[in-house]
Amino acid sequence: MKVFPELISVNKEELVNYPTKAFEGKIHVISKQQDVDSAVEYLSAKKMIGFDTETRPTFSKNHTNTVALLQLSDENEAFLFQLKKIGLPLNLVKLLENTTVAKVGVAVKDDIKGLKKIHNFDEGNFIELQSVAKQLHIEAMGLRTLTPVVLGFKISKRQQLSNWENDTLSGSQKLYAATDAWVSLKIYQQLRPYTL
């Protein structure tokens, strides 16, 4: 196995030294059933896509909200599925079950668990970045620290606790959501050769 570069983690103080980057491709917000088909068709043709979800934050221990947004992205196009409006349609479920399309993300187990509360499915070919990082002796585990370690830039986490159930997502919410899915894919593309 090749050895990944020596940096294994970064702390909060070191993060300020990195430039901030975000997704620069096209962002599609999918809020109507008729838009799901073309999005799924596009994504199903890919070998690998970035994956993430967003849930409206709750500040009560006894209550959890339903997943509001599912983000799937390649290098050029990000699709934000507003699950509060469309649910989890069958063709989108089939994409999540599809074993020929790898879905890459961080803490995917929790995301899958949340999605299964909307519609149960047999997840197919999900790749957990935390497992890949561990295998390569990288201590950074979250997207916030994995991104500078692997890609040499940082991403903004300002919108993390915003209301993902909003009917209309703000520009900064859309960019944040697209970036999280896209950067997961970019991290894996960078790390994959070291795992072979």
Side-chain angles (χ1 to χ4, degrees), residues 16-52:
V16 297
N17 300 321
Y18 289 87
T20 304
K21 281 194 184 179
F23 181 65
E24 293 178 355
K26 192 169 184 185
I27 300 172
H28 307 267
V29 178
I30 310 297
S31 59
K32 294 188 184 97
Q33 187 62 51
Q34 62 259 36
D35 298 328
V36 176
D37 294 350
S38 57
V40 169
E41 190 181 339
Y42 176 87
L43 291 161
S44 298
K46 304 294 167 186
K47 283 191 166 69
M48 195 181 297
I49 52 178
F51 163 84
D52 194 25

Coordinates of all heavy atoms in Angstrom, one line a residue, residues 16-52:
V16 N -7.5 28.1 10.0 CA -7.5 29.4 9.5 C -6.5 29.6 8.4 O -6.6 30.6 7.6 CB -7.3 30.5 10.6 CG1 -8.4 30.5 11.6 CG2 -6.0 30.4 11.3
N17 N -5.4 28.8 8.4 CA -4.4 28.9 7.4 C -4.8 28.4 6.0 O -4.0 28.6 5.0 CB -3.1 28.2 7.8 CG -2.6 28.8 9.2 OD1 -2.6 30.0 9.4 ND2 -2.2 27.9 10.0
Y18 N -5.9 27.7 5.9 CA -6.3 27.1 4.6 C -7.3 28.0 3.9 O -8.2 28.6 4.5 CB -6.9 25.8 4.9 CG -6.0 24.7 5.3 CD1 -5.7 24.5 6.7 CD2 -5.3 23.9 4.4 CE1 -4.8 23.6 7.1 CE2 -4.4 22.9 4.8 CZ -4.1 22.8 6.2 OH -3.2 21.8 6.6
P19 N -7.2 28.0 2.5 CA -8.2 28.8 1.8 C -9.5 28.1 1.8 O -9.6 26.9 1.9 CB -7.6 28.8 0.3 CG -6.7 27.5 0.3 CD -6.2 27.4 1.7
T20 N -10.6 28.8 1.7 CA -11.9 28.2 1.7 C -12.4 28.0 0.2 O -12.2 28.9 -0.6 CB -13.0 29.2 2.4 OG1 -12.5 29.4 3.7 CG2 -14.3 28.5 2.4
K21 N -12.9 26.8 0.0 CA -13.4 26.5 -1.4 C -14.8 26.0 -1.3 O -15.2 25.4 -0.2 CB -12.5 25.5 -2.1 CG -11.3 26.1 -2.7 CD -10.6 25.1 -3.6 CE -9.3 25.7 -4.2 NZ -8.6 24.7 -5.1
A22 N -15.6 26.1 -2.3 CA -16.9 25.5 -2.4 C -17.2 25.0 -3.8 O -16.4 25.2 -4.7 CB -17.9 26.6 -2.1
F23 N -18.3 24.2 -3.9 CA -18.7 23.6 -5.1 C -18.9 24.7 -6.2 O -19.5 25.7 -5.9 CB -20.0 22.8 -4.9 CG -20.5 22.2 -6.2 CD1 -19.8 21.1 -6.8 CD2 -21.7 22.5 -6.7 CE1 -20.3 20.5 -7.9 CE2 -22.2 21.9 -7.8 CZ -21.5 20.9 -8.4
E24 N -18.4 24.6 -7.4 CA -18.5 25.6 -8.4 C -19.3 25.1 -9.6 O -19.5 25.9 -10.6 CB -17.1 26.0 -8.9 CG -16.2 26.7 -7.9 CD -14.8 27.0 -8.3 OE1 -14.4 26.6 -9.5 OE2 -14.1 27.7 -7.6
G25 N -19.9 23.9 -9.5 CA -20.7 23.4 -10.6 C -22.1 23.9 -10.5 O -22.5 24.8 -9.8
K26 N -23.0 23.2 -11.3 CA -24.4 23.5 -11.3 C -25.2 22.9 -10.2 O -25.0 21.7 -10.0 CB -25.0 23.1 -12.7 CG -26.3 23.7 -13.0 CD -26.7 23.5 -14.4 CE -28.1 24.1 -14.7 NZ -28.6 23.9 -16.0
I27 N -26.0 23.6 -9.5 CA -26.8 23.1 -8.4 C -28.3 23.0 -8.8 O -28.9 24.0 -9.3 CB -26.7 23.9 -7.1 CG1 -25.2 24.0 -6.7 CG2 -27.5 23.4 -6.0 CD1 -24.9 25.0 -5.6
H28 N -28.9 21.8 -8.7 CA -30.3 21.6 -9.1 C -31.0 21.3 -7.8 O -30.7 20.4 -7.0 CB -30.4 20.4 -10.0 CG -29.6 20.4 -11.2 ND1 -30.0 20.9 -12.4 CD2 -28.3 20.0 -11.4 CE1 -29.1 20.8 -13.3 NE2 -28.0 20.2 -12.7
V29 N -32.1 22.1 -7.5 CA -32.9 21.8 -6.4 C -34.1 21.0 -6.9 O -34.9 21.5 -7.8 CB -33.4 23.1 -5.6 CG1 -34.3 22.8 -4.5 CG2 -32.2 23.9 -5.1
I30 N -34.3 19.8 -6.4 CA -35.4 18.9 -6.9 C -36.5 19.0 -5.9 O -36.4 18.4 -4.8 CB -34.9 17.5 -7.1 CG1 -33.6 17.4 -7.9 CG2 -35.9 16.6 -7.7 CD1 -33.7 17.9 -9.3
S31 N -37.6 19.7 -6.2 CA -38.7 19.8 -5.3 C -40.0 19.3 -5.9 O -41.1 19.4 -5.3 CB -38.9 21.3 -4.9 OG -39.0 22.1 -6.0
K32 N -39.9 18.8 -7.2 CA -41.1 18.3 -7.8 C -40.9 16.9 -8.4 O -39.8 16.7 -8.9 CB -41.5 19.2 -9.0 CG -42.0 20.6 -8.6 CD -42.5 21.4 -9.8 CE -42.9 22.8 -9.4 NZ -41.8 23.8 -9.7
Q33 N -41.9 16.1 -8.3 CA -41.7 14.7 -8.7 C -41.2 14.6 -10.2 O -40.4 13.8 -10.5 CB -43.1 14.0 -8.6 CG -43.1 12.5 -8.9 CD -42.3 11.8 -7.9 OE1 -42.4 11.9 -6.7 NE2 -41.3 11.0 -8.5
Q34 N -41.7 15.5 -11.1 CA -41.3 15.4 -12.5 C -39.8 15.7 -12.7 O -39.3 15.3 -13.7 CB -42.2 16.3 -13.4 CG -42.1 17.8 -13.1 CD -43.3 18.3 -12.3 OE1 -43.8 17.5 -11.4 NE2 -43.7 19.5 -12.5
D35 N -39.2 16.3 -11.7 CA -37.7 16.6 -11.9 C -36.8 15.5 -11.4 O -35.6 15.4 -11.7 CB -37.4 17.9 -11.1 CG -38.1 19.1 -11.7 OD1 -38.4 19.1 -12.9 OD2 -38.4 20.0 -10.9
V36 N -37.5 14.5 -10.7 CA -36.7 13.4 -10.1 C -36.1 12.5 -11.2 O -35.0 12.1 -11.1 CB -37.5 12.6 -9.1 CG1 -36.8 11.4 -8.6 CG2 -38.0 13.5 -7.9
D37 N -37.0 12.2 -12.2 CA -36.6 11.3 -13.2 C -35.3 11.6 -13.9 O -34.4 10.8 -14.0 CB -37.7 11.1 -14.3 CG -38.9 10.5 -13.7 OD1 -38.9 10.0 -12.5 OD2 -40.0 10.5 -14.4
S38 N -35.2 12.9 -14.4 CA -34.0 13.3 -15.1 C -32.7 13.3 -14.2 O -31.6 12.9 -14.6 CB -34.2 14.6 -15.8 OG -34.5 15.6 -14.9
A39 N -32.9 13.7 -13.0 CA -31.8 13.7 -12.0 C -31.3 12.3 -11.7 O -30.1 12.1 -11.8 CB -32.3 14.4 -10.7
V40 N -32.2 11.4 -11.5 CA -31.8 10.0 -11.2 C -31.2 9.4 -12.4 O -30.2 8.6 -12.3 CB -33.1 9.2 -10.7 CG1 -32.7 7.7 -10.7 CG2 -33.5 9.6 -9.4
E41 N -31.7 9.7 -13.6 CA -31.1 9.2 -14.9 C -29.7 9.6 -15.0 O -28.8 8.8 -15.4 CB -32.0 9.6 -16.1 CG -31.6 9.0 -17.4 CD -32.4 9.5 -18.5 OE1 -33.5 10.0 -18.3 OE2 -32.0 9.3 -19.7
Y42 N -29.4 10.9 -14.8 CA -28.1 11.5 -14.8 C -27.2 10.8 -13.8 O -26.1 10.3 -14.2 CB -28.2 13.0 -14.6 CG -26.8 13.7 -14.5 CD1 -26.2 14.1 -15.7 CD2 -26.1 13.8 -13.3 CE1 -24.9 14.7 -15.7 CE2 -24.9 14.4 -13.3 CZ -24.3 14.9 -14.5 OH -23.0 15.5 -14.4
L43 N -27.6 10.7 -12.6 CA -26.7 10.1 -11.5 C -26.5 8.6 -11.7 O -25.4 8.1 -11.3 CB -27.4 10.4 -10.2 CG -27.4 11.9 -9.7 CD1 -28.4 12.2 -8.7 CD2 -26.0 12.3 -9.3
S44 N -27.5 7.9 -12.2 CA -27.4 6.5 -12.4 C -26.3 6.1 -13.4 O -25.9 4.9 -13.4 CB -28.7 5.9 -12.8 OG -29.7 6.1 -11.8
A45 N -26.0 7.0 -14.3 CA -25.0 6.8 -15.3 C -23.5 6.9 -14.8 O -22.6 6.6 -15.5 CB -25.2 7.7 -16.5
K46 N -23.4 7.4 -13.5 CA -22.1 7.6 -12.9 C -21.6 6.4 -12.2 O -22.3 5.6 -11.7 CB -22.1 8.8 -11.9 CG -22.7 10.1 -12.5 CD -21.8 10.6 -13.6 CE -22.4 11.7 -14.4 NZ -21.6 12.2 -15.5
K47 N -20.2 6.3 -12.2 CA -19.6 5.2 -11.4 C -19.6 5.5 -9.9 O -19.6 4.6 -9.1 CB -18.2 4.9 -11.9 CG -18.2 4.2 -13.2 CD -16.7 3.7 -13.5 CE -16.7 2.7 -14.6 NZ -17.0 3.2 -15.9
M48 N -19.5 6.8 -9.6 CA -19.3 7.2 -8.2 C -19.8 8.6 -8.0 O -19.7 9.5 -8.9 CB -17.8 7.3 -8.0 CG -17.3 7.3 -6.5 SD -15.5 7.4 -6.5 CE -15.1 5.8 -7.2
I49 N -20.6 8.8 -6.9 CA -21.1 10.1 -6.6 C -20.9 10.4 -5.1 O -20.8 9.5 -4.3 CB -22.6 10.2 -7.0 CG1 -23.4 9.0 -6.3 CG2 -22.8 10.2 -8.5 CD1 -24.9 9.1 -6.6
G50 N -20.9 11.7 -4.8 CA -20.8 12.1 -3.4 C -22.2 12.1 -2.8 O -23.2 12.3 -3.5
F51 N -22.3 11.8 -1.5 CA -23.6 11.6 -0.8 C -23.6 12.3 0.5 O -22.6 12.3 1.3 CB -23.8 10.1 -0.6 CG -24.8 9.7 0.4 CD1 -26.2 9.6 0.0 CD2 -24.4 9.4 1.7 CE1 -27.1 9.2 1.0 CE2 -25.4 9.0 2.6 CZ -26.7 8.9 2.3
D52 N -24.7 12.9 0.8 CA -24.9 13.5 2.2 C -26.4 13.8 2.4 O -27.2 13.8 1.4 CB -24.1 14.8 2.3 CG -24.0 15.3 3.7 OD1 -24.1 14.5 4.6 OD2 -23.8 16.5 3.9

